[in-house]
Amino acid sequence: MTASPQVVSMPPGALGSVTIHWRWDQSATEAVTQHSCLWVSKGDESEAHLVKCKGPGLTYATTVGWIGSGNYIFRVAPGNPKGPFSKPVAGLFQLAQTIVVGAAL
């Protein structure tokens, strides 16, 4: 899992954009791994929020354009595109993570 760029610079009053490259190599035959999902939480937030789900075994690039100031922790973990759309961070079966820093110019 990687982020490009890792540090997102944006002018005052604007949001930035980042592309997250992620992969989940788990088997699709297990019910818990039918969907690999990208989750995000900001700062020390205790809830992770669903960004996107895909099938396991492939590499994906997901671009988000809502990065503001602060730290965003992106995680790859199981989920379901039909919800729940938020989960406690402590309860995620996390495979990978990356941190993106939003920095105002």
Side-chain angles (χ1 to χ4, degrees), residues 6 13-14 19 24 34 44 56 64 69 81 88 90 99:
Q6 199 80 42
T19 300
W24 180 297
Q34 287 181 344
D44 59 359
V64 297
S69 293
I99 298 174

Side-chain angles (χ1 to χ4, degrees), residues 37-93:
C37 298
L38 182 63
W39 298 83
V40 66
S41 57
K42 186 172 182 191
D44 59 359
E45 190 176 17
S46 63
E47 293 281 312
H49 308 283
L50 185 65
V51 176
K52 183 170 269 193
C53 290
K54 294 288 190 176
L58 299 174
T59 301
Y60 303 100
T62 301
T63 300
V64 297
W66 36 256
I67 301 297
S69 293
N71 294 335
Y72 294 80
I73 303 169
F74 288 89
R75 298 171 170 89
V76 175
N80 188 325
K82 296 179 182 177
F85 301 108
S86 293
K87 287 185 176 181
V89 169
L92 287 179
F93 176 70

